[in-house]
């Protein structure tokens, strides 16, 4: 198997707030472009940040999405969600919410009321996965994926584990259903442990250091909160944990379709974007109370 080289290691950019509840570093498209990161079109990372206690939960009010899926991965803190297609619930620590916006939803995302009253350390990833053109106008959906539902695979020699959210690792499938081939893992490696991962060479592949520091392909330092983007020149790469680590791994087959995006809408053509705004303004995305 040919080894996959590193395209670049990106340090976290200056954070900005999404609403008042998510203090994020943007890695996609910030690191590169939506086209290069295909099928991943957006990734915001709320690195560890302490929110003080409040009776008024922080977050983002009602807003629309069309044409893709939003994937929220909670590492610390709890988020309450509701959308106009009837989806909703709490994303707890270790859980993942996989929302298929597709033809269009309105949703809101806030820190859970009870969690907000105590406040504390918050750490979360939001990833947008593009939908193939043929699926962009399909019915919205919602997958609440708890940590206990994810496949967990122990690595040899007590090195750690691979937790499979989507796709599969050595035949162990994750619970998330996807529209195109996507692998999404949390890899936990103990200090000093080393492992190799492999994906088809043409899959867009990257990793985010959630916890701890690692060395990739024996050469590149990947400190906490850094993003490693791989080239498409081979299948396998190695990770050596310099401390105990948690690493989010993403790899997906590019859709190779035109991308037309504006704010919360990601379509294939400008005409479809105009239509999205019109449909939104006409109330076709349904209704959700503030
Ligand atoms: Mn949203």
């Amino acid at each position: 198997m040919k080894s996959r080289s590193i395209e670049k290691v990106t340090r976290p950019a200056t954070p900005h707030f999404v609403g008042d509840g998510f203090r994020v570093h943007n890695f996609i498209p910030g690191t590169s472009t939506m086209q290069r990161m295909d099928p991943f079109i957006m990734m915001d990372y709320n690195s560890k940040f302490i929110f003080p206690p409040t009776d008024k939960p922080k977050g983002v009010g009602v807003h629309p999405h069309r044409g893709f899926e939003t994937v929220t991965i909670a590492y610390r803190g709890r988020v309450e969600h509701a959308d106009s297609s009837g989806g909703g619930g709490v994303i707890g620590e270790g859980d993942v919410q996989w929302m298929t916006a597709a033809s269009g939803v309105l949703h809101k995302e806030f820190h859970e009321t009870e969690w907000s009253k105590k406040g504390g350390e918050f750490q979360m990833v939001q990833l947008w996965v593009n939908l193939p053109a043929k699926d962009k106008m399909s019915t919205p959906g919602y997958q609440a994926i708890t940590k206990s539902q994810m496949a967990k695979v122990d690595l040899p020699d007590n090195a750690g584990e691979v937790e499979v959210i989507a796709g599969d690792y050595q035949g162990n499938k994750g619970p998330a259903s996807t529209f195109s081939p996507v692998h999404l893992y949390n890899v936990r490696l103990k200090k000093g442990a080393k492992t190799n991962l492999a994906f088809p060479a043409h899959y867009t592949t990257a990793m985010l250091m959630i916890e701890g520091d690692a060395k990739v392909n024996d050469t590149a330092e990947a400190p906490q909160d850094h993003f490693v983007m791989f080239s498409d020149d081979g299948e396998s790469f190695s990770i050596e944990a310099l401390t105990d680590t948690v690493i989010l791994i993403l790899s997906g087959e590019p859709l190779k379709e035109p991308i037309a995006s504006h704010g919360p809408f990601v379509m294939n053509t400008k005409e479809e974007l105009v239509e999205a705004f019109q449909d939104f303004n006409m109330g076709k995305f349904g209704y959700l109370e503030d």
Side-chain angles (χ1 to χ4, degrees), residues 19-22 56-63 77-82 89-91 107-113 115-116 122 124 288-290:
D20 63 2
F22 303 91
K56 191 177 179 300
K58 294 178 185 297
V60 195
V62 176
H63 60 279
R78 294 167 68 80
V79 168
E80 263 171 17
H81 162 267
V90 173
I91 313 165
H107 79 157
K108 54 185 178 182
E109 303 155 274
F110 282 92
H111 299 177
E112 188 195 33
T113 306
W115 186 88
S116 296
F122 193 84
M124 216 155 284
L288 185 64
E289 206 174 317
D290 275 327

Short mmCIF file of all heavy atoms in Angstrom, two decimals, residues 19-22 56-63 77-82 89-91 107-113 115-116 122 124 288-290:
data_model
loop_
_atom_site.label_atom_id
_atom_site.label_comp_id
_atom_site.label_asym_id
_atom_site.label_seq_id
_atom_site.Cartn_x
_atom_site.Cartn_y
_atom_site.Cartn_z
N GLY A 19 -23.58 32.66 16.52
CA GLY A 19 -24.55 33.03 17.55
C GLY A 19 -23.75 33.50 18.76
O GLY A 19 -22.67 34.09 18.60
N ASP A 20 -24.23 33.16 19.97
CA ASP A 20 -23.41 33.49 21.15
C ASP A 20 -22.97 32.22 21.89
O ASP A 20 -22.44 32.29 22.98
CB ASP A 20 -24.16 34.45 22.09
CG ASP A 20 -25.45 33.84 22.65
OD1 ASP A 20 -25.74 32.66 22.35
OD2 ASP A 20 -26.15 34.54 23.40
N GLY A 21 -23.17 31.05 21.23
CA GLY A 21 -22.90 29.80 21.94
C GLY A 21 -21.79 28.94 21.38
O GLY A 21 -21.43 27.93 21.96
N PHE A 22 -21.25 29.33 20.23
CA PHE A 22 -20.23 28.49 19.60
C PHE A 22 -19.03 29.36 19.22
O PHE A 22 -19.14 30.22 18.35
CB PHE A 22 -20.80 27.76 18.38
CG PHE A 22 -22.00 26.91 18.72
CD1 PHE A 22 -23.28 27.44 18.65
CD2 PHE A 22 -21.84 25.60 19.17
CE1 PHE A 22 -24.41 26.67 18.99
CE2 PHE A 22 -22.95 24.84 19.51
CZ PHE A 22 -24.22 25.36 19.43
N LYS A 56 -30.00 31.82 30.71
CA LYS A 56 -30.47 32.02 29.34
C LYS A 56 -29.50 31.30 28.38
O LYS A 56 -28.42 31.80 28.08
CB LYS A 56 -30.49 33.52 29.03
CG LYS A 56 -31.20 33.85 27.73
CD LYS A 56 -31.25 35.37 27.51
CE LYS A 56 -31.92 35.70 26.19
NZ LYS A 56 -31.24 35.12 25.02
N PRO A 57 -29.88 30.06 27.97
CA PRO A 57 -28.94 29.25 27.17
C PRO A 57 -28.42 30.00 25.93
O PRO A 57 -29.17 30.70 25.26
CB PRO A 57 -29.79 28.05 26.75
CG PRO A 57 -30.82 27.94 27.81
CD PRO A 57 -31.13 29.35 28.23
N LYS A 58 -27.13 29.81 25.69
CA LYS A 58 -26.49 30.45 24.53
C LYS A 58 -26.57 29.52 23.32
O LYS A 58 -26.62 28.31 23.46
CB LYS A 58 -25.03 30.77 24.86
CG LYS A 58 -24.87 31.81 25.95
CD LYS A 58 -23.40 32.04 26.26
CE LYS A 58 -23.18 32.99 27.42
NZ LYS A 58 -23.68 34.35 27.16
N GLY A 59 -26.55 30.10 22.15
CA GLY A 59 -26.59 29.27 20.95
C GLY A 59 -26.91 30.07 19.71
O GLY A 59 -26.56 31.25 19.61
N VAL A 60 -27.55 29.41 18.77
CA VAL A 60 -27.92 30.03 17.50
C VAL A 60 -29.42 29.86 17.31
O VAL A 60 -29.94 28.75 17.40
CB VAL A 60 -27.22 29.35 16.30
CG1 VAL A 60 -27.33 30.22 15.06
CG2 VAL A 60 -25.77 29.04 16.60
N GLY A 61 -30.11 30.97 17.04
CA GLY A 61 -31.56 30.94 16.84
C GLY A 61 -31.94 30.31 15.51
O GLY A 61 -31.09 29.79 14.77
N VAL A 62 -33.22 30.36 15.22
CA VAL A 62 -33.78 29.70 14.03
C VAL A 62 -33.10 30.18 12.74
O VAL A 62 -33.00 31.37 12.49
CB VAL A 62 -35.30 29.97 13.96
CG1 VAL A 62 -35.88 29.36 12.68
CG2 VAL A 62 -36.00 29.39 15.18
N HIS A 63 -32.61 29.21 11.97
CA HIS A 63 -31.98 29.51 10.67
C HIS A 63 -32.18 28.32 9.73
O HIS A 63 -32.41 27.20 10.18
CB HIS A 63 -30.49 29.84 10.85
CG HIS A 63 -29.69 28.74 11.46
ND1 HIS A 63 -29.66 28.49 12.81
CD2 HIS A 63 -28.90 27.79 10.90
CE1 HIS A 63 -28.89 27.45 13.06
NE2 HIS A 63 -28.41 26.99 11.92
N GLY A 77 -19.83 19.26 26.90
CA GLY A 77 -21.01 20.11 26.89
C GLY A 77 -22.18 19.39 26.25
O GLY A 77 -22.04 18.27 25.73
N ARG A 78 -23.33 20.02 26.32
CA ARG A 78 -24.55 19.41 25.79
C ARG A 78 -25.33 20.45 24.99
O ARG A 78 -25.43 21.60 25.39
CB ARG A 78 -25.43 18.89 26.95
CG ARG A 78 -24.79 17.75 27.71
CD ARG A 78 -25.50 17.46 29.04
NE ARG A 78 -26.83 16.92 28.88
CZ ARG A 78 -27.11 15.64 28.62
NH1 ARG A 78 -26.13 14.77 28.48
NH2 ARG A 78 -28.35 15.24 28.49
N VAL A 79 -25.88 20.00 23.85
CA VAL A 79 -26.59 20.91 22.97
C VAL A 79 -28.02 20.40 22.74
O VAL A 79 -28.24 19.21 22.55
CB VAL A 79 -25.85 21.04 21.61
CG1 VAL A 79 -26.70 21.73 20.57
CG2 VAL A 79 -24.54 21.80 21.79
N GLU A 80 -28.97 21.34 22.78
CA GLU A 80 -30.36 21.04 22.49
C GLU A 80 -30.66 21.48 21.09
O GLU A 80 -30.25 22.56 20.67
CB GLU A 80 -31.28 21.86 23.43
CG GLU A 80 -31.76 21.12 24.64
CD GLU A 80 -32.46 22.06 25.61
OE1 GLU A 80 -32.85 23.17 25.21
OE2 GLU A 80 -32.59 21.66 26.77
N HIS A 81 -31.40 20.67 20.38
CA HIS A 81 -31.67 20.97 18.98
C HIS A 81 -33.14 20.75 18.69
O HIS A 81 -33.77 19.87 19.26
CB HIS A 81 -30.79 20.06 18.12
CG HIS A 81 -31.25 19.96 16.71
ND1 HIS A 81 -32.10 18.98 16.28
CD2 HIS A 81 -31.00 20.75 15.64
CE1 HIS A 81 -32.35 19.16 14.99
NE2 HIS A 81 -31.69 20.23 14.58
N ALA A 82 -33.68 21.57 17.79
CA ALA A 82 -35.05 21.33 17.29
C ALA A 82 -35.08 21.80 15.85
O ALA A 82 -34.45 22.79 15.50
CB ALA A 82 -36.05 22.12 18.12
N GLY A 89 -33.82 16.98 20.04
CA GLY A 89 -33.29 16.21 21.15
C GLY A 89 -32.04 16.86 21.70
O GLY A 89 -31.70 17.99 21.34
N VAL A 90 -31.38 16.11 22.57
CA VAL A 90 -30.17 16.61 23.21
C VAL A 90 -28.98 15.81 22.71
O VAL A 90 -29.04 14.59 22.62
CB VAL A 90 -30.28 16.49 24.75
CG1 VAL A 90 -28.96 16.84 25.41
CG2 VAL A 90 -31.40 17.38 25.27
N ILE A 91 -27.93 16.53 22.33
CA ILE A 91 -26.68 15.88 21.96
C ILE A 91 -25.80 15.92 23.19
O ILE A 91 -25.36 17.00 23.60
CB ILE A 91 -26.00 16.60 20.79
CG1 ILE A 91 -27.01 16.91 19.67
CG2 ILE A 91 -24.83 15.79 20.26
CD1 ILE A 91 -26.48 17.94 18.68
N HIS A 107 -33.73 25.20 11.73
CA HIS A 107 -33.42 24.62 13.03
C HIS A 107 -32.78 25.65 13.95
O HIS A 107 -32.47 26.77 13.55
CB HIS A 107 -32.59 23.33 12.90
CG HIS A 107 -31.13 23.51 12.65
ND1 HIS A 107 -30.21 22.54 12.95
CD2 HIS A 107 -30.43 24.54 12.14
CE1 HIS A 107 -29.00 22.97 12.62
NE2 HIS A 107 -29.10 24.17 12.12
N LYS A 108 -32.65 25.26 15.21
CA LYS A 108 -31.98 26.10 16.20
C LYS A 108 -31.12 25.20 17.07
O LYS A 108 -31.43 24.02 17.26
CB LYS A 108 -32.98 26.90 17.03
CG LYS A 108 -34.07 26.07 17.70
CD LYS A 108 -35.09 26.97 18.40
CE LYS A 108 -36.20 26.14 19.02
NZ LYS A 108 -37.24 26.96 19.68
N GLU A 109 -30.00 25.75 17.52
CA GLU A 109 -29.02 24.97 18.27
C GLU A 109 -28.60 25.78 19.50
O GLU A 109 -28.01 26.85 19.36
CB GLU A 109 -27.79 24.69 17.39
CG GLU A 109 -28.13 23.98 16.08
CD GLU A 109 -27.11 24.23 14.96
OE1 GLU A 109 -27.24 25.25 14.25
OE2 GLU A 109 -26.20 23.42 14.80
N PHE A 110 -28.93 25.27 20.69
CA PHE A 110 -28.60 25.97 21.93
C PHE A 110 -27.95 25.03 22.93
O PHE A 110 -28.20 23.82 22.91
CB PHE A 110 -29.87 26.56 22.58
CG PHE A 110 -30.33 27.83 21.91
CD1 PHE A 110 -31.26 27.78 20.87
CD2 PHE A 110 -29.83 29.06 22.30
CE1 PHE A 110 -31.68 28.95 20.24
CE2 PHE A 110 -30.24 30.23 21.67
CZ PHE A 110 -31.17 30.17 20.64
N HIS A 111 -27.13 25.58 23.82
CA HIS A 111 -26.64 24.79 24.94
C HIS A 111 -27.87 24.30 25.72
O HIS A 111 -28.85 25.03 25.85
CB HIS A 111 -25.78 25.64 25.87
CG HIS A 111 -24.55 26.21 25.21
ND1 HIS A 111 -23.68 27.06 25.87
CD2 HIS A 111 -24.04 26.04 23.96
CE1 HIS A 111 -22.70 27.40 25.05
NE2 HIS A 111 -22.89 26.80 23.88
N GLU A 112 -27.79 23.07 26.20
CA GLU A 112 -28.90 22.53 26.98
C GLU A 112 -29.18 23.41 28.21
O GLU A 112 -28.24 23.90 28.85
CB GLU A 112 -28.57 21.10 27.44
CG GLU A 112 -29.73 20.39 28.08
CD GLU A 112 -29.30 19.17 28.85
OE1 GLU A 112 -28.19 19.17 29.41
OE2 GLU A 112 -30.07 18.20 28.90
N THR A 113 -30.46 23.57 28.53
CA THR A 113 -30.86 24.47 29.62
C THR A 113 -30.17 24.10 30.94
O THR A 113 -29.60 24.97 31.61
CB THR A 113 -32.40 24.41 29.79
OG1 THR A 113 -32.99 24.69 28.52
CG2 THR A 113 -32.88 25.42 30.81
N TRP A 115 -27.51 22.22 31.46
CA TRP A 115 -26.05 22.37 31.35
C TRP A 115 -25.67 23.85 31.49
O TRP A 115 -24.70 24.20 32.17
CB TRP A 115 -25.54 21.80 30.01
CG TRP A 115 -24.04 21.81 29.91
CD1 TRP A 115 -23.19 20.82 30.33
CD2 TRP A 115 -23.21 22.86 29.39
NE1 TRP A 115 -21.89 21.20 30.10
CE2 TRP A 115 -21.88 22.44 29.53
CE3 TRP A 115 -23.47 24.12 28.84
CZ2 TRP A 115 -20.79 23.23 29.12
CZ3 TRP A 115 -22.40 24.90 28.44
CH2 TRP A 115 -21.07 24.47 28.57
N SER A 116 -26.47 24.72 30.85
CA SER A 116 -26.20 26.15 30.87
C SER A 116 -26.19 26.72 32.28
O SER A 116 -25.41 27.60 32.60
CB SER A 116 -27.23 26.91 30.03
OG SER A 116 -27.14 26.53 28.68
N PHE A 122 -16.71 23.44 27.14
CA PHE A 122 -17.49 23.12 25.95
C PHE A 122 -16.51 22.83 24.82
O PHE A 122 -15.54 23.57 24.62
CB PHE A 122 -18.37 24.33 25.63
CG PHE A 122 -19.47 24.09 24.64
CD1 PHE A 122 -20.68 23.55 25.03
CD2 PHE A 122 -19.28 24.42 23.30
CE1 PHE A 122 -21.71 23.35 24.11
CE2 PHE A 122 -20.30 24.21 22.38
CZ PHE A 122 -21.51 23.68 22.79
N MET A 124 -16.73 21.10 20.73
CA MET A 124 -17.64 20.52 19.74
C MET A 124 -17.15 20.76 18.32
O MET A 124 -16.45 21.74 18.06
CB MET A 124 -19.02 21.17 19.93
CG MET A 124 -20.17 20.25 19.69
SD MET A 124 -21.69 20.73 20.56
CE MET A 124 -21.39 20.24 22.26
N LEU A 288 -40.73 27.03 12.66
CA LEU A 288 -40.14 26.64 13.93
C LEU A 288 -40.20 27.84 14.85
O LEU A 288 -39.80 28.95 14.49
CB LEU A 288 -38.68 26.20 13.72
CG LEU A 288 -37.95 25.64 14.95
CD1 LEU A 288 -38.59 24.35 15.43
CD2 LEU A 288 -36.48 25.40 14.62
N GLU A 289 -40.74 27.59 16.05
CA GLU A 289 -40.88 28.68 17.02
C GLU A 289 -39.52 29.14 17.50
O GLU A 289 -38.61 28.32 17.68
CB GLU A 289 -41.69 28.15 18.23
CG GLU A 289 -42.43 29.22 18.99
CD GLU A 289 -43.30 28.59 20.07
OE1 GLU A 289 -43.95 27.57 19.78
OE2 GLU A 289 -43.31 29.12 21.18
N ASP A 290 -39.37 30.43 17.73
CA ASP A 290 -38.11 31.00 18.25
C ASP A 290 -37.78 30.46 19.62
O ASP A 290 -38.67 30.23 20.41
CB ASP A 290 -38.20 32.52 18.33
CG ASP A 290 -37.85 33.15 16.99
OD1 ASP A 290 -37.00 32.58 16.29
OD2 ASP A 290 -38.44 34.19 16.67
#
